[in-house]
Amino acid sequence: MPELPEVETTLQGIAPAITGEKIKSVIVRERRLRWTIPASFEQTLSGNTIDHVSRRAKYLLIHTQNGTLIVHLGMSGSLKIATDSTVLRKHDHVDILFFNGTRLRFHDPRRFGCLLWTKKDPFQHKLLKTLGPEPLTDMFNARYLYTKSRNRKVSIKQFIMNSHIVVGVGNIYASEALFMSGINPKRMASGISLTRYECLNNSIKTVLSEAIKQGGTTLRDFVSGKGEPGYFQQKLNVYAKQGDACSRCNSTIKTIKQGQRSTFYCPNCQT
DNA sequence: AGTGCGGCCTGTCCGC
DNA sequence: TGCGGACAGGCCGCAC
């Protein structure tokens, strides 16, 4: 669920509440996340003051003087400011309590998320070091995509979803951006022209920035087993729209599997 | 080095 | 009504 816009929204939501605040204690109720939280975690975090909060790809970085907490929300994670009256829910795995009474709560039913403490420069961390550029920067442009894609033997869909090529393009936005640019998701990345990459690059930026503008609320919490539409289906042109009429040409939207993931596209508009 | 795939995990839906 | 199985998803880590 949390794609780039949600992570950005989370950042903006928690940063004002915790910046400058000192950690009093940490409560861990479930250690088995994507990477198990070590026993030393509570002690290590306690006493640190939050310097600032930032984001790299879908990772949230909570910086302190002594180290950085790297947070990934995985599929189903959320990070929120709780109060004393907030009811403790199932899957509320971690609370970080501050001296001023603020309580930061990590919730993650599927436990694909992670909380990692690093004393070193977080950008040199193994998970962050090799990531591709941020999609909304000038580093990410058509020329970059064109150059990177030469000799790549994967489909364009898989190519733009590779976080070492560009970060933040999840399954939903990949389908939407390819629809917007009229590119067939099955097409090989290596065979796409610079001109078409210009179009695709623009589409990715447009789709993501529009979603961020809406506070990331374009996305649903959950996709049912049958790919039922979420609350915001009307915002999407192809994602989870298999069988529907294409909004542009009225052809039927198709779904296929690529790299074990669902892709949605219009066989007529996307060539 | 690039690619493909297994695995992690729960909630929800479907068919029996 | 209960239960098993399929499925969704991000992304690491391994094997080729």
Side-chain angles (χ1 to χ4, degrees):
Chain A
M1 162 282 236
E3 297 235 18
L4 196 66
E6 278 76 11
V7 179
E8 185 64 32
T9 302
T10 299
L11 165 65
Q12 289 163 21
I14 66 167
I18 66 171
T19 302
E21 301 304 330
K22 186 175 182 181
I23 299 173
K24 182 181 182 186
S25 59
V26 179
I27 299 168
V28 180
R29 303 184 187 83
E30 173 59 81
R31 314 192 88 89
R32 296 170 301 165
L33 303 182
R34 191 182 204 308
W35 287 287
T36 299
I37 297 174
S40 57
F41 186 77
E42 292 92 321
Q43 186 111 48
T44 303
L45 262 69
S46 296
N48 285 301
T49 298
I50 310 306
D51 183 61
H52 67 290
V53 189
S54 65
R55 178 187 66 74
R56 174 71 176 104
K58 294 180 188 172
Y59 293 94
L60 284 165
L61 306 177
I62 301 176
H63 306 263
T64 78
Q65 289 81 351
N66 299 314
T68 303
L69 181 63
I70 302 173
V71 181
H72 198 290
L73 301 177
M75 259 303 297
S76 56
S78 62
L79 204 52
K80 285 176 184 158
I81 303 300
T83 67
D84 290 341
S85 58
T86 307
V87 177
L88 188 68
R89 293 179 301 163
K90 196 178 177 183
H91 309 302
D92 282 341
H93 303 317
V94 178
D95 279 9
I96 297 176
L97 289 79
F98 295 85
F99 278 102
N100 74 342
T102 296
R103 181 188 290 260
L104 182 65
R105 179 165 287 172
F106 178 77
H107 174 89
D108 187 6
R110 296 183 203 178
R111 309 205 324 248
F112 278 17
C114 66
L115 299 181
L116 299 168
W117 175 260
T118 179
K119 291 191 172 192
K120 297 179 289 183
D121 174 6
F123 299 100
Q124 294 305 309
H125 190 281
K126 184 185 177 186
L127 296 176
L128 305 195
K129 199 176 179 178
T130 61
L131 291 173
E134 291 287 328
L136 300 179
T137 62
D138 292 342
M139 306 262 293
F140 180 61
N141 54 46
R143 175 65 64 181
Y144 169 83
L145 280 172
Y146 181 78
T147 306
K148 279 277 184 185
S149 63
R150 297 309 94 180
N151 304 320
R152 289 304 194 105
K153 291 174 175 47
V154 282
S155 70
I156 185 60
K157 164 85 167 358
Q158 290 166 293
F159 184 67
I160 60 171
M161 284 187 66
N162 182 343
S163 62
H164 297 103
I165 300 302
V166 58
V167 302
V169 183
N171 201 41
I172 295 172
Y173 294 145
S175 283
E176 292 297 318
L178 286 167
F179 173 77
M180 189 179 282
S181 48
I183 297 171
N184 190 301
K186 290 187 280 191
R187 191 174 278 281
M188 285 296 117
S190 58
I192 292 175
S193 69
L194 179 59
T195 305
R196 294 200 95 183
Y197 271 124
E198 276 163 10
C199 185
L200 178 58
N201 187 259
N202 287 332
S203 298
I204 290 171
K205 287 178 192 289
T206 301
V207 166
L208 287 175
S209 55
E210 277 183 6
I212 289 171
K213 210 183 298 172
Q214 291 162 27
T217 51
T218 40
L219 301 174
R220 64 173 154 279
D221 279 327
F222 179 77
V223 183
S224 78
K226 273 288 185 181
E228 297 288 33
Y231 321 130
F232 305 102
Q233 192 201 15
Q234 71 276 8
K235 296 285 181 188
L236 304 171
N237 282 300
V238 287
Y239 187 81
K241 295 265 200 172
Q242 70 276 25
D244 287 8
C246 171
S247 57
R248 188 190 285 160
C249 78
N250 232 35
S251 297
T252 305
I253 303 298
K254 270 189 70 176
T255 179
I256 55 171
K257 288 279 182 197
Q258 293 183 288
Q260 308 169 84
R261 290 222 161 72
S262 296
T263 300
F264 304 89
Y265 73 109
C266 172
N268 184 47
C269 291
Q270 296 176 250
T271 58

